[in-house]
């Protein structure tokens, strides 16, 4: 997955700070004024970008689900276009992309765990639908690499690996971890090891 390097828009700045504050204090523990202060605008000024906190939360959780699915599908389509990839390389690319998310967007993992039920039904259903599609992208690749693994076990393994990779909010503060490269490499080895263990007779 590619990493965007453009300067963030004001909307993106607002969402980033909202995610951080919601993750730290909970959705109901943060006011619009605090989010505005974090990006240097008045609380009421936020309403030019979002109708309210509920809309911010929905855009954060639906948005990251859309990005993960799009990134996974891009990995698969780029691999198909090259025509010279291997299932192992494709799985490595999926793992690496998810690790980027898990290390760079830890507040969104916390938000998903704590606040998903606060979304409107339609938004929550959309998140679940996108997540199911993302899982199936992985299942197809895992079964291509490990054809002996039954589909239901491959799906369970994918969910387990997501749980492993999404544990990053519990790793402590960034300064207490190995450097980013070392942490990413460790998570990658653990994920690959989990799939290999699942495929053993």
């Amino acid at each position: 997955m590619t990493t965007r390097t453009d300067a963030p828009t004001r909307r993106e700045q607002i969402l980033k700070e909202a995610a951080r504050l919601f993750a730290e204090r909970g959705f109901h523990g943060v006011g619009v004024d605090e989010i505005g202060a974090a990006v240097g605008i008045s609380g009421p000024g936020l309403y030019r970008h979002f109708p309210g906190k509920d809309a911010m939360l929905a855009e954060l959780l639906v948005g990251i689900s859309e990005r993960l699915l799009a990134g996974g599908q891009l990995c698969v389509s780029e691999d198909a276009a090259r025509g010279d990839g291997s299932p192992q390389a494709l799985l490595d690319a999926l793992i690496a992309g998810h690790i980027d998310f898990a290390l760079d967007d830890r507040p969104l993992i916390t938000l998903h765990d704590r606040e998903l039920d606060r979304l409107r039904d339609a938004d929550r259903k959309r998140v679940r639908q996108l997540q199911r599609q993302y899982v199936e992208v992985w299942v197809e690749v895992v079964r291509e690499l490990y054809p002996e693994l039954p589909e239901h076990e491959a799906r369970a393994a994918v969910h387990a690996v997501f749980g492993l990779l999404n544990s990053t909010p519990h790793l402590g503060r960034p300064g207490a971890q190995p450097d980013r490269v070392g942490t990413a490499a460790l998570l990658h080895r653990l994920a690959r090891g989990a799939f290999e263990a699942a495929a053993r007779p």
Side-chain angles (χ1 to χ4, degrees), residues 8-198:
T9 66
R10 179 49 61 93
R11 273 180 75 86
E12 289 168 339
Q13 291 172 343
I14 292 169
L15 287 172
K16 181 178 180 181
E17 290 304 316
R20 179 182 64 80
L21 291 168
F22 292 159
E24 287 177 0
R25 301 185 211 166
F27 181 74
H28 287 305
V30 179
V32 171
D33 289 340
E34 293 172 273
I35 299 171
V39 295
I41 61 177
S42 67
L46 285 180
Y47 292 111
R48 289 195 296 270
H49 302 277
F50 297 96
K53 289 196 309 176
D54 289 341
M56 294 179 209
L57 182 64
E59 187 157 334
L60 284 165
L61 294 182
V62 174
I64 190 55
S65 298
E66 289 174 339
R67 276 170 35 213
L68 285 170
L69 175 59
Q73 291 173 330
L74 181 63
C75 280
V76 172
S77 63
E78 287 179 342
D79 180 79
R82 286 193 304 269
D84 59 354
S86 68
Q88 180 170 313
L90 181 51
L91 181 59
D92 282 336
L94 287 174
I95 292 171
H98 198 97
I99 287 172
D100 284 342
F101 154 69
L103 292 176
D104 297 337
D105 291 300
R106 291 191 293 169
L108 292 179
I109 297 173
T110 301
L111 269 189
H112 180 275
D113 289 346
R114 293 181 185 167
E115 313 290 358
L116 181 64
D117 287 344
R118 297 193 190 283
L119 294 182
R120 295 179 308 162
D121 285 347
D123 290 325
R124 188 169 57 252
K125 288 176 182 176
R126 177 65 176 153
V127 169
R128 294 299 193 196
Q129 177 190 45
L130 291 163
Q131 290 173 338
R132 285 193 297 271
Q133 291 176 277
Y134 182 54
V135 167
E136 294 311 308
V137 170
W138 281 64
V139 169
E140 186 172 340
V141 174
V142 168
R143 294 203 71 219
E144 188 175 357
L145 181 57
Y146 303 109
E148 70 280 11
L149 192 61
E151 183 176 329
H152 70 281
E153 291 187 12
R155 190 169 292 108
V158 168
H159 281 289
V161 166
F162 286 173
L164 186 159
L165 298 180
N166 291 348
S167 67
T168 52
H170 308 292
L171 296 181
R173 290 181 295 183
Q177 302 169 24
D179 60 61
R180 190 188 189 287
V181 172
T183 302
L186 173 61
L187 290 171
H188 203 115
R189 292 197 305 273
L190 291 170
R192 283 301 305 273
F195 286 125
E196 288 166 7

